[in-house]
Amino acid sequence: MFFTSSGEFFVIAAYLILQLLVRRFLGNKMNKGLLLVGNIVLLSTMVTYYTLGIHVLLSLLVYLIGKQISKPSYSRAKRLTIIAVVSIIGLYCVRAYPAAFGINSFQLTSDPRSIIQRLGISYIMFRHIQFLVDSYKGKIRAYAFIDYVNFILFFPNFLAGPIDVYNNFKRWSDRQNGKIKNALILPGIGRILIGFIKKFALVPLIYASAVSYEPFLETMEPVQAILLSLVYYSLYIYLDFSGYSDIAIGSGYIMGIRTPENFKMPYLSTNIADFWRKWHITFSDFLRELIFKPIVKGMAKWKIKLPRLSVSVIGYILTFFICGIWHGDTANFVYWGLWHGVGLSIYKLWSSTTIHDKVHASLKKAKMKWFSDLVGFGITFCFVTFGWVFFHYSKQDLSDIFEILF
């Protein structure tokens, strides 16, 4: 994975400096070609050229399909069918091919029989699907294949996001060098330093306590050890993931590409809906726009009309069931997804009651909204933190843990 060793940092830093020099002395003439070469060279240190070749061919296929379905001559039903077929096949391959070729999901191998390595494939499929949907809606402002390949292979975002959209990437890629792009350089360096501190200074301090509760058993009861370890894991997964995102965003800034934010202090959220607006933001946006909203709109067209709250609840459950499966193909990830789906449903039901409105109105009138926020923060942090038990531990481990807890 990128950004995990000093050697990788040196190589990437050298490339970023080369990018800056080219921009300084040659302007935009070689930017896109240099970015393409840089993406391929840097990614080839992690995945095989077979994998990169397949990604380029798949990008060409999706790009051509996107251009076709953007034409008015294609009927709405035909365009939707094409998107659905491509999306289903793509997402199926994400889960199916590692088993089909006998390789571990995260194993890196130069064996050509692996055909295409799974590393980063889920995020790439999301970008392909988003591109097709935007093409269908007529949102793509200009098509250019070199921009699309760079968008898919953009090395800082390749592995773990943020999940950008093609229009934003192309807009920044096309922007001429000048004050705006130059103004991103120092913030980019700052973001990289922040991410470096998170991943390489703070994460090692808590890693051992986060991944296992056994170190705590010497000084406390098993229940306390499990709960404390979950708190450490909650901090660990945020620091590690947001640290990676900081480095990816900062690297993009230096190259003149402003990618979207991915975290906005999610553990300070006062409710679970607010948490998902601040945690892995680009993925949350994808879930909301391309899964939750279509489910809700589709159910609204049923002949049998369901209450709006019931539709929302069903939408949350199905969306986060899919979210759980996307994160992993074992039962514990399904439990984690359903945990959040149920949590969002409960919050939706509670926030729709008159009691909720009256309580908030009374606290606001008494100038005690801070108390409501404090309670909401505590409940949300505990809910999210306990939910990581499903994310981190296998089904067998969960049986042992729940036997201890309950």
Side-chain angles (χ1 to χ4, degrees):
M1 182 173 288
F2 282 132
F3 317 127
T4 57
S5 71
S6 58
E8 289 171 354
F9 259 98
F10 177 79
V11 172
I12 293 171
Y15 172 74
L16 295 179
I17 293 171
L18 176 62
Q19 257 262 352
L20 290 175
L21 292 174
V22 169
R23 280 167 51 189
R24 174 66 178 84
F25 294 106
L26 298 178
N28 282 356
K29 295 179 181 179
M30 297 180 60
N31 267 2
K32 295 183 180 182
L34 179 62
L35 179 58
L36 179 60
V37 172
N39 285 331
I40 292 174
V41 171
L42 290 171
L43 290 176
S44 69
T45 64
M46 302 178 52
V47 296
T48 65
Y49 283 109
Y50 293 97
T51 297
L52 292 175
I54 293 293
H55 280 312
V56 171
L57 291 175
L58 180 60
S59 297
L60 176 61
L61 176 62
V62 173
Y63 174 80
L64 294 175
I65 292 173
K67 287 192 71 173
Q68 287 298 311
I69 63 176
S70 68
K71 297 178 179 178
S73 58
Y74 275 70
S75 67
R76 182 174 181 272
K78 188 174 183 179
R79 286 182 286 169
L80 284 173
T81 301
I82 291 172
I83 293 174
V85 170
V86 173
S87 301
I88 291 170
I89 292 174
L91 292 174
Y92 173 77
C93 289
V94 168
R95 290 299 171 208
Y97 71 73
F101 291 99
I103 61 173
N104 183 277
S105 298
F106 301 101
Q107 178 182 348
L108 295 182
T109 172
S110 59
D111 187 347
R113 291 176 301 170
S114 66
I115 306 298
I116 179 171
Q117 293 164 324
R118 186 171 180 173
L119 206 62
I121 187 68
S122 296
Y123 291 93
I124 292 169
M125 286 309 305
F126 283 159
R127 290 196 283 273
H128 284 317
I129 294 170
Q130 182 75 58
F131 175 77
L132 290 176
V133 172
D134 285 347
S135 294
Y136 159 72
K137 293 180 178 179
K139 290 184 177 180
I140 302 299
R141 292 187 288 268
Y143 290 87
F145 182 59
I146 189 171
D147 289 323
Y148 190 69
V149 174
N150 276 329
F151 166 65
I152 295 300
L153 299 182
F154 192 50
F155 73 88
N157 299 1
F158 186 84
L159 295 179
I163 306 169
D164 203 354
V165 295
Y166 173 74
N167 276 338
N168 180 69
F169 183 88
K170 180 166 176 55
R171 179 167 63 90
W172 283 98
S173 180
D174 288 343
R175 187 183 290 273
Q176 295 295 312
N177 294 323
K179 291 182 179 180
I180 294 179
K181 279 197 171 185
N182 291 337
L184 293 176
I185 296 173
L186 287 179
I189 295 172
R191 288 297 291 269
I192 290 174
L193 290 176
I194 291 171
F196 187 90
I197 291 171
K198 286 180 179 178
K199 282 187 67 67
F200 300 106
L202 299 179
V203 165
L205 295 177
I206 62 175
Y207 179 78
S209 300
V211 297
S212 175
Y213 61 88
E214 292 183 0
F216 296 110
L217 293 177
E218 297 179 1
T219 57
M220 58 185 65
E221 295 296 320
V223 172
Q224 296 172 317
I226 291 171
L227 296 179
L228 182 58
S229 180
L230 284 175
V231 173
Y232 274 92
Y233 186 81
S234 197
L235 297 175
Y236 153 72
I237 197 169
Y238 167 72
L239 291 171
D240 188 67
F241 199 179
S242 69
Y244 183 93
S245 292
D246 286 333
I247 297 172
I249 291 170
S251 299
Y253 277 14
I254 293 174
M255 288 185 282
I257 306 292
R258 185 169 185 176
T259 54
E261 294 294 331
N262 219 22
F263 292 88
K264 291 183 179 178
M265 296 190 291
Y267 287 142
L268 296 182
S269 303
T270 56
N271 59 68
I272 189 62
D274 191 38
F275 172 82
W276 278 102
R277 285 190 289 268
K278 297 176 178 178
W279 175 273
H280 204 347
I281 298 169
T282 55
F283 177 59
S284 299
D285 289 344
F286 182 93
L287 291 177
R288 182 176 60 254
E289 295 298 324
L290 298 184
I291 299 179
F292 178 77
K293 284 186 177 180
I295 289 173
V296 171
K297 289 180 180 178
M299 293 179 65
K301 296 178 182 178
W302 288 1
K303 292 182 179 180
I304 302 175
K305 298 296 182 182
L306 296 175
R308 181 177 294 181
L309 283 176
S310 299
V311 172
S312 295
V313 168
I314 294 172
Y316 283 133
I317 298 298
L318 290 177
T319 299
F320 278 86
F321 174 76
I322 294 170
C323 173
I325 293 176
W326 176 80
H327 278 88
D329 48 14
T330 53
N332 59 300
F333 290 107
V334 174
Y335 301 154
W336 176 78
L338 292 176
W339 174 262
H340 281 273
V342 170
L344 283 161
S345 300
I346 293 173
Y347 175 72
K348 181 68 174 179
L349 295 171
W350 159 245
S351 62
S352 302
T353 63
T354 55
I355 297 175
H356 171 272
D357 295 339
K358 288 180 179 179
V359 169
H360 274 260
S362 299
L363 290 172
K364 188 175 181 179
K365 186 177 181 180
K367 296 182 179 180
M368 292 183 62
K369 188 177 180 298
W370 62 268
F371 179 76
S372 173
D373 291 342
L374 184 62
V375 172
F377 158 74
I379 292 173
T380 304
F381 182 78
C382 290
F383 180 87
V384 172
T385 295
F386 188 80
W388 291 125
V389 72
F390 303 109
F391 192 90
H392 177 50
Y393 291 102
S394 67
K395 184 179 179 181
Q396 181 57 49
D397 291 334
L398 287 174
S399 299
D400 299 335
I401 288 171
F402 280 106
E403 185 175 348
I404 294 172
L405 291 177
F406 304 110

